[in-house]
Amino acid sequence: MMAERVNIHLQKSTKDKLEKFKQIRGKEVQSDEFWDLVVITAVDEDQRSAYEIQITDKLERKELPLGIRYHVFADPPGCKIGNGGSTLHSLQCLHDKYGKSLSGFKVILIHAGGFSQRLPSASALGKILTAVPLGNPLYQMLELKLAMYVDFPAHMKPGMLVTCADDIELYSVSDQENVVFDKSGFTALAHPSPLSIGTTHGVFVLEPAETPRICDMEYRTCSKFLHKPSVEKMFKCNAVCKREGEEFVYTDSTYYFDYGTAMTLLTLFREISPLTCEIDAYGDFLQALGRRATVDYTENTANVTKKENGLVEIRRKIFHHLKGTALNVILLNNSKFYHVGTTEEYLFHFTADPCLRAELGLLSAAFSVCDLEPSEKTRVCVSHSILHPSVSMSQGSVVEYSRLDARVKVGSRSIISGCWIGTDLTVPSDTFIHSLSVNLDGKTGFVTVVFGVKDDLKKSVSSPAHMKALSLFKVNLEDCVGLWGLFPEKVRFSGDTSMCSLWNACIFPVCSNLKDSFVMSLGMLKALDSGTNFTLPKKATLTSLQETLQNKNLEEMLKFRKELYEDILRVNLSNSV
C-alpha cells in the first residue's frame, strides 16, 4: 500500500508544481515569489558560452520565468576543481558582482559542468539542457529543476540552494506544510532509501528525535554525515532506521546554506585558492558538519576518482573552517530521487519506468509531429522531433531533436539525437546514435557518432597498441577498424594518448551534410553487426567525439533545432485550425 499511496501523492504534488511553474513560465516574476538569481556552472568558457546562447534563446521563446537574472560561471582554466570547487568559485563570482547585496538574495546553483561521457547526447549542448518529454514548448532539465523547487523560495531566508543537473527529486508534504529553509548553517533534503543506494550516496546519521512520529516531513539534526559508506559502517554509526519491519537510510540530494555560511565558505576559498585538486560539494563539505564529525575522513581517498596532491591538506582546511556548523536535515518521507545521467538510466526512466512516467506525467511524444501506433505509444519517447507517419519504433527507444523520413525503422532501447534519417533506413536495437556539427579548417562539417548503449566510453588503455581491450558493440576496436578498411596502427587518438578510449578514438568520418553523415555511420555499424567490410572514403577526415566537441559548430546545431521548432509549430497550428 505504501508505494501505491506515495505514487498518487507524488503524482498530485508534482502536477501542482508543474502547474504553478507553467503560470510563471514566460512571465515577469516578483522577487518574493521566485529566485533572485539562477546560477549554472560550466566546465569551461566554451560550455559557458553554449549555455548562455541557449538560455538567451529560451528567454526569447518565453520558456523561462522573466525578470530575474540568470548567470553561467565557468570553472577557471587549469586543473579540474570538482563541484565543490565550482560552488566556491561561483560564490566568489557572485560576491565580486553583487557585494553586500548578495545578503538579500535567494540563489539556486545548478551544477551542470562536465562532458557527460555517460550520456553523450548531452555533451555538446549540456546536461542542464537535456530534453524532458513534458510541456509545450518542450521542457529541458533546467525548467524541470525550477519547477520541482518552485515552492522553495517563498519559504527561504536569503542563501543558496545547491543541486545537480542530472537528477530529479519528487516529494510531497501535507497541504498545511511547506519545506522551510530558515536555519543558519546547512540544511539538507533527505530521502528514505534502501541500504544498497546508501553505499553510492551520502547518508545522514540523525540525532535522536524528541518525539518520534511518522509523517510526510520532519525537521531533524544530523550528528554525522557518511559519504558512500559500506552497509557495515551504516549499522556501526547508527544510520539505519526501521519502519514497519523495513530497514532503510536517509540519503542526500539537494542542500541549502544561509548567507552567513556563504561568507564562511568564501573565507575558506580565499585561503585554499587557486585550487589544484577536485573538491566534492557533498563529501568534502558535509562530512565536516554535525556534532560527531571528526577529521578522520580527510585521509580517506577511497572514493576519489583521481588521487591528487594537496587534497588531504585542503580537506583539513575545509574541516577546520566548517567544524561546528550545523547540519539540519529535512526528512522527506514521501519522496523519490531519480538519477538520469547515463544512457541506460535515460532510456529506463523515460520509456520503461512506469513510476516516473506516472509521477511526472511524461509523454510518449512531446512537442513533436508523429503518428505512433497505440501499441508503440506507451513505451517510447519522442521529443522535439518530426517523424513521417510511416516510421515505426520499437519499445524502449528515445528520439530527440531529429527528423525521421518515410519508412524508417527504429529498434528497441536505442537513443537517436540530433539526426536526420533518410528514407528506408533501419537503426538496430541497443544503439546510441548522435549527429553533431563541426568547424574544421573554416568549413562546416557533420559527424555522427555511434556506440552501443552499454559501451563504456570512459574505459581507457595506456596506448593505441592495446586497443583490442576496447570494445564497440561487443567487437574489439582493432577488429572494428579492420572491417572499416583502416590499419590499426594508423588510428589516431585525440588528446592524451596515454588514455586511449572510445571517447577519443578518431574513427568517425566528417561529412558535408547531416543526412550523409548518418548514412556513413550507420554503414559502419552494419559492418560490425554482419562482420562484412565497409570501406570508408579514401580522403575522409576521421575524428573522435572528444575532438568533435572541441570543434563543435554550436550555431549549426541550434539552427537545425530551430528549423524543427518552427516546422513543429507550423504543423501544430495548422492541425488546430
Side-chain angles (χ1 to χ4, degrees), residues 440 447 481 484 486 490-492 494 505-510 520 524 536-544 547-548:
L440 282 178
V447 178
V481 299
W484 302 328
L486 303 171
K490 292 249 176 87
V491 172
R492 189 169 63 84
S494 57
C506 296
I507 51 177
F508 301 110
V510 180
M520 189 76 73
M524 293 166 71
L536 288 162
K538 280 274 182 290
K539 290 198 174 149
T541 302
L542 298 179
T543 188
S544 65
E547 204 170 59
T548 298

mmCIF file of all heavy atoms in Angstrom, residues 440 447 481 484 486 490-492 494 505-510 520 524 536-544 547-548:
data_model
loop_
_atom_site.group_PDB
_atom_site.id
_atom_site.type_symbol
_atom_site.label_atom_id
_atom_site.label_comp_id
_atom_site.label_asym_id
_atom_site.label_seq_id
_atom_site.Cartn_x
_atom_site.Cartn_y
_atom_site.Cartn_z
ATOM 1 N N LEU A 440 35.776 22.681 -39.127
ATOM 2 C CA LEU A 440 37.136 22.179 -39.357
ATOM 3 C C LEU A 440 37.745 22.940 -40.531
ATOM 4 O O LEU A 440 37.130 23.012 -41.601
ATOM 5 C CB LEU A 440 37.124 20.676 -39.639
ATOM 6 C CG LEU A 440 36.953 19.748 -38.425
ATOM 7 C CD1 LEU A 440 36.902 18.305 -38.875
ATOM 8 C CD2 LEU A 440 38.065 19.927 -37.399
ATOM 9 N N VAL A 447 29.307 15.185 -38.186
ATOM 10 C CA VAL A 447 29.846 13.927 -37.673
ATOM 11 C C VAL A 447 28.714 13.206 -36.951
ATOM 12 O O VAL A 447 28.008 13.819 -36.138
ATOM 13 C CB VAL A 447 31.000 14.187 -36.668
ATOM 14 C CG1 VAL A 447 31.530 12.882 -36.093
ATOM 15 C CG2 VAL A 447 32.119 14.981 -37.325
ATOM 16 N N VAL A 481 38.133 -1.501 -36.690
ATOM 17 C CA VAL A 481 38.806 -0.652 -37.681
ATOM 18 C C VAL A 481 39.248 -1.478 -38.887
ATOM 19 O O VAL A 481 39.271 -0.986 -40.016
ATOM 20 C CB VAL A 481 39.981 0.166 -37.066
ATOM 21 C CG1 VAL A 481 39.463 1.101 -35.974
ATOM 22 C CG2 VAL A 481 41.085 -0.713 -36.539
ATOM 23 N N TRP A 484 36.523 -1.676 -41.296
ATOM 24 C CA TRP A 484 36.290 -0.413 -41.999
ATOM 25 C C TRP A 484 37.449 -0.067 -42.953
ATOM 26 O O TRP A 484 37.543 1.058 -43.443
ATOM 27 C CB TRP A 484 36.101 0.740 -40.999
ATOM 28 C CG TRP A 484 34.970 0.534 -40.044
ATOM 29 C CD1 TRP A 484 33.799 -0.130 -40.291
ATOM 30 C CD2 TRP A 484 34.896 0.973 -38.680
ATOM 31 N NE1 TRP A 484 33.009 -0.125 -39.168
ATOM 32 C CE2 TRP A 484 33.653 0.541 -38.158
ATOM 33 C CE3 TRP A 484 35.760 1.690 -37.838
ATOM 34 C CZ2 TRP A 484 33.257 0.808 -36.836
ATOM 35 C CZ3 TRP A 484 35.367 1.946 -36.536
ATOM 36 C CH2 TRP A 484 34.128 1.506 -36.047
ATOM 37 N N LEU A 486 40.671 0.191 -42.225
ATOM 38 C CA LEU A 486 41.736 1.022 -41.654
ATOM 39 C C LEU A 486 42.827 0.125 -41.071
ATOM 40 O O LEU A 486 42.554 -1.000 -40.651
ATOM 41 C CB LEU A 486 41.179 1.908 -40.527
ATOM 42 C CG LEU A 486 40.014 2.847 -40.873
ATOM 43 C CD1 LEU A 486 39.459 3.480 -39.600
ATOM 44 C CD2 LEU A 486 40.475 3.944 -41.829
ATOM 45 N N LYS A 490 47.440 2.948 -37.730
ATOM 46 C CA LYS A 490 47.251 4.307 -38.271
ATOM 47 C C LYS A 490 46.131 5.064 -37.539
ATOM 48 O O LYS A 490 45.895 6.236 -37.794
ATOM 49 C CB LYS A 490 46.897 4.213 -39.774
ATOM 50 C CG LYS A 490 48.047 3.718 -40.652
ATOM 51 C CD LYS A 490 48.543 4.857 -41.554
ATOM 52 C CE LYS A 490 49.749 4.450 -42.375
ATOM 53 N NZ LYS A 490 49.399 3.818 -43.642
ATOM 54 N N VAL A 491 45.399 4.345 -36.659
ATOM 55 C CA VAL A 491 44.273 5.010 -35.980
ATOM 56 C C VAL A 491 44.802 5.995 -34.950
ATOM 57 O O VAL A 491 45.661 5.680 -34.135
ATOM 58 C CB VAL A 491 43.333 3.965 -35.312
ATOM 59 C CG1 VAL A 491 42.281 4.671 -34.453
ATOM 60 C CG2 VAL A 491 42.661 3.115 -36.372
ATOM 61 N N ARG A 492 44.251 7.210 -35.018
ATOM 62 C CA ARG A 492 44.699 8.293 -34.142
ATOM 63 C C ARG A 492 43.785 8.374 -32.915
ATOM 64 O O ARG A 492 42.590 8.077 -32.995
ATOM 65 C CB ARG A 492 44.607 9.588 -34.967
ATOM 66 C CG ARG A 492 45.222 10.820 -34.356
ATOM 67 C CD ARG A 492 45.285 11.929 -35.420
ATOM 68 N NE ARG A 492 43.962 12.349 -35.886
ATOM 69 C CZ ARG A 492 43.207 13.255 -35.254
ATOM 70 N NH1 ARG A 492 43.608 13.817 -34.146
ATOM 71 N NH2 ARG A 492 42.026 13.598 -35.756
ATOM 72 N N SER A 494 42.742 11.295 -30.078
ATOM 73 C CA SER A 494 42.929 12.729 -29.828
ATOM 74 C C SER A 494 43.302 12.969 -28.361
ATOM 75 O O SER A 494 43.043 12.128 -27.499
ATOM 76 C CB SER A 494 41.643 13.486 -30.180
ATOM 77 O OG SER A 494 40.548 12.961 -29.442
ATOM 78 N N ALA A 505 38.825 8.062 -29.619
ATOM 79 C CA ALA A 505 39.255 7.298 -30.803
ATOM 80 C C ALA A 505 38.757 8.009 -32.061
ATOM 81 O O ALA A 505 37.547 8.242 -32.219
ATOM 82 C CB ALA A 505 38.673 5.883 -30.740
ATOM 83 N N CYS A 506 39.674 8.367 -32.962
ATOM 84 C CA CYS A 506 39.289 9.100 -34.184
ATOM 85 C C CYS A 506 38.841 8.098 -35.251
ATOM 86 O O CYS A 506 39.628 7.688 -36.112
ATOM 87 C CB CYS A 506 40.455 9.945 -34.676
ATOM 88 S SG CYS A 506 40.894 11.216 -33.475
ATOM 89 N N ILE A 507 37.567 7.719 -35.166
ATOM 90 C CA ILE A 507 37.042 6.679 -36.072
ATOM 91 C C ILE A 507 35.804 7.150 -36.840
ATOM 92 O O ILE A 507 35.255 6.403 -37.637
ATOM 93 C CB ILE A 507 36.695 5.385 -35.285
ATOM 94 C CG1 ILE A 507 35.799 5.695 -34.087
ATOM 95 C CG2 ILE A 507 37.969 4.667 -34.826
ATOM 96 C CD1 ILE A 507 35.334 4.481 -33.277
ATOM 97 N N PHE A 508 35.363 8.385 -36.589
ATOM 98 C CA PHE A 508 34.122 8.846 -37.221
ATOM 99 C C PHE A 508 34.413 9.838 -38.355
ATOM 100 O O PHE A 508 35.102 10.836 -38.139
ATOM 101 C CB PHE A 508 33.205 9.494 -36.184
ATOM 102 C CG PHE A 508 32.838 8.555 -35.066
ATOM 103 C CD1 PHE A 508 33.329 8.753 -33.786
ATOM 104 C CD2 PHE A 508 32.031 7.450 -35.311
ATOM 105 C CE1 PHE A 508 33.014 7.875 -32.753
ATOM 106 C CE2 PHE A 508 31.704 6.568 -34.289
ATOM 107 C CZ PHE A 508 32.194 6.777 -33.009
ATOM 108 N N PRO A 509 33.880 9.566 -39.559
ATOM 109 C CA PRO A 509 34.176 10.447 -40.696
ATOM 110 C C PRO A 509 33.427 11.777 -40.619
ATOM 111 O O PRO A 509 32.291 11.834 -40.141
ATOM 112 C CB PRO A 509 33.702 9.639 -41.900
ATOM 113 C CG PRO A 509 32.707 8.656 -41.364
ATOM 114 C CD PRO A 509 33.059 8.404 -39.934
ATOM 115 N N VAL A 510 34.076 12.841 -41.097
ATOM 116 C CA VAL A 510 33.436 14.154 -41.206
ATOM 117 C C VAL A 510 32.809 14.229 -42.597
ATOM 118 O O VAL A 510 33.480 13.973 -43.597
ATOM 119 C CB VAL A 510 34.472 15.290 -41.035
ATOM 120 C CG1 VAL A 510 33.796 16.655 -41.141
ATOM 121 C CG2 VAL A 510 35.195 15.153 -39.695
ATOM 122 N N MET A 520 26.660 7.181 -43.404
ATOM 123 C CA MET A 520 28.034 6.692 -43.282
ATOM 124 C C MET A 520 28.224 5.921 -41.966
ATOM 125 O O MET A 520 28.729 4.803 -41.946
ATOM 126 C CB MET A 520 28.985 7.885 -43.349
ATOM 127 C CG MET A 520 30.435 7.524 -43.455
ATOM 128 S SD MET A 520 30.912 6.968 -45.093
ATOM 129 C CE MET A 520 30.877 8.502 -45.991
ATOM 130 N N MET A 524 28.923 1.854 -41.077
ATOM 131 C CA MET A 524 29.996 1.336 -40.213
ATOM 132 C C MET A 524 29.426 0.380 -39.167
ATOM 133 O O MET A 524 29.993 -0.688 -38.892
ATOM 134 C CB MET A 524 30.712 2.497 -39.513
ATOM 135 C CG MET A 524 31.495 3.394 -40.463
ATOM 136 S SD MET A 524 31.970 4.966 -39.683
ATOM 137 C CE MET A 524 33.228 4.433 -38.524
ATOM 138 N N LEU A 536 35.614 3.034 -45.752
ATOM 139 C CA LEU A 536 35.427 4.479 -45.605
ATOM 140 C C LEU A 536 36.052 5.191 -46.799
ATOM 141 O O LEU A 536 37.033 4.702 -47.379
ATOM 142 C CB LEU A 536 36.121 4.955 -44.323
ATOM 143 C CG LEU A 536 35.408 4.541 -43.029
ATOM 144 C CD1 LEU A 536 36.351 4.645 -41.841
ATOM 145 C CD2 LEU A 536 34.183 5.412 -42.799
ATOM 146 N N PRO A 537 35.498 6.341 -47.219
ATOM 147 C CA PRO A 537 36.086 7.084 -48.337
ATOM 148 C C PRO A 537 37.573 7.352 -48.076
ATOM 149 O O PRO A 537 37.962 7.670 -46.947
ATOM 150 C CB PRO A 537 35.298 8.397 -48.361
ATOM 151 C CG PRO A 537 34.067 8.145 -47.572
ATOM 152 C CD PRO A 537 34.351 7.042 -46.620
ATOM 153 N N LYS A 538 38.382 7.222 -49.136
ATOM 154 C CA LYS A 538 39.848 7.354 -49.012
ATOM 155 C C LYS A 538 40.271 8.653 -48.321
ATOM 156 O O LYS A 538 41.141 8.667 -47.473
ATOM 157 C CB LYS A 538 40.492 7.323 -50.413
ATOM 158 C CG LYS A 538 40.648 5.909 -50.985
ATOM 159 C CD LYS A 538 41.963 5.266 -50.509
ATOM 160 C CE LYS A 538 42.163 3.884 -51.110
ATOM 161 N NZ LYS A 538 41.235 2.874 -50.601
ATOM 162 N N LYS A 539 39.636 9.760 -48.711
ATOM 163 C CA LYS A 539 40.119 11.048 -48.208
ATOM 164 C C LYS A 539 39.356 11.537 -46.972
ATOM 165 O O LYS A 539 39.489 12.699 -46.584
ATOM 166 C CB LYS A 539 40.037 12.099 -49.321
ATOM 167 C CG LYS A 539 41.061 11.848 -50.424
ATOM 168 C CD LYS A 539 41.278 13.088 -51.265
ATOM 169 C CE LYS A 539 42.418 12.841 -52.250
ATOM 170 N NZ LYS A 539 42.226 13.594 -53.479
ATOM 171 N N ALA A 540 38.568 10.640 -46.384
ATOM 172 C CA ALA A 540 37.738 11.082 -45.247
ATOM 173 C C ALA A 540 38.615 11.542 -44.081
ATOM 174 O O ALA A 540 39.612 10.905 -43.750
ATOM 175 C CB ALA A 540 36.842 9.943 -44.794
ATOM 176 N N THR A 541 38.217 12.684 -43.479
ATOM 177 C CA THR A 541 38.854 13.127 -42.231
ATOM 178 C C THR A 541 38.165 12.366 -41.112
ATOM 179 O O THR A 541 36.936 12.368 -41.026
ATOM 180 C CB THR A 541 38.621 14.643 -42.023
ATOM 181 O OG1 THR A 541 39.147 15.326 -43.148
ATOM 182 C CG2 THR A 541 39.278 15.136 -40.751
ATOM 183 N N LEU A 542 38.946 11.697 -40.269
ATOM 184 C CA LEU A 542 38.345 10.944 -39.156
ATOM 185 C C LEU A 542 38.570 11.700 -37.857
ATOM 186 O O LEU A 542 39.646 12.226 -37.600
ATOM 187 C CB LEU A 542 38.962 9.544 -39.075
ATOM 188 C CG LEU A 542 38.744 8.653 -40.301
ATOM 189 C CD1 LEU A 542 39.414 7.301 -40.113
ATOM 190 C CD2 LEU A 542 37.257 8.455 -40.587
ATOM 191 N N THR A 543 37.534 11.732 -37.040
ATOM 192 C CA THR A 543 37.619 12.488 -35.789
ATOM 193 C C THR A 543 37.000 11.680 -34.648
ATOM 194 O O THR A 543 36.350 10.658 -34.873
ATOM 195 C CB THR A 543 36.935 13.866 -35.958
ATOM 196 O OG1 THR A 543 37.182 14.654 -34.794
ATOM 197 C CG2 THR A 543 35.434 13.734 -36.148
ATOM 198 N N SER A 544 37.214 12.148 -33.423
ATOM 199 C CA SER A 544 36.652 11.460 -32.246
ATOM 200 C C SER A 544 35.519 12.312 -31.682
ATOM 201 O O SER A 544 35.375 13.487 -32.033
ATOM 202 C CB SER A 544 37.728 11.299 -31.180
ATOM 203 O OG SER A 544 38.131 12.583 -30.710
ATOM 204 N N GLU A 547 37.168 15.271 -29.910
ATOM 205 C CA GLU A 547 37.641 16.325 -30.817
ATOM 206 C C GLU A 547 36.451 17.055 -31.460
ATOM 207 O O GLU A 547 36.496 18.268 -31.672
ATOM 208 C CB GLU A 547 38.491 15.651 -31.902
ATOM 209 C CG GLU A 547 39.496 16.551 -32.553
ATOM 210 C CD GLU A 547 40.449 15.743 -33.436
ATOM 211 O OE1 GLU A 547 39.989 15.070 -34.382
ATOM 212 O OE2 GLU A 547 41.647 15.784 -33.168
ATOM 213 N N THR A 548 35.395 16.314 -31.753
ATOM 214 C CA THR A 548 34.179 16.913 -32.317
ATOM 215 C C THR A 548 33.634 17.985 -31.369
ATOM 216 O O THR A 548 33.223 19.069 -31.791
ATOM 217 C CB THR A 548 33.106 15.833 -32.565
ATOM 218 O OG1 THR A 548 33.621 14.910 -33.516
ATOM 219 C CG2 THR A 548 31.814 16.411 -33.091
#
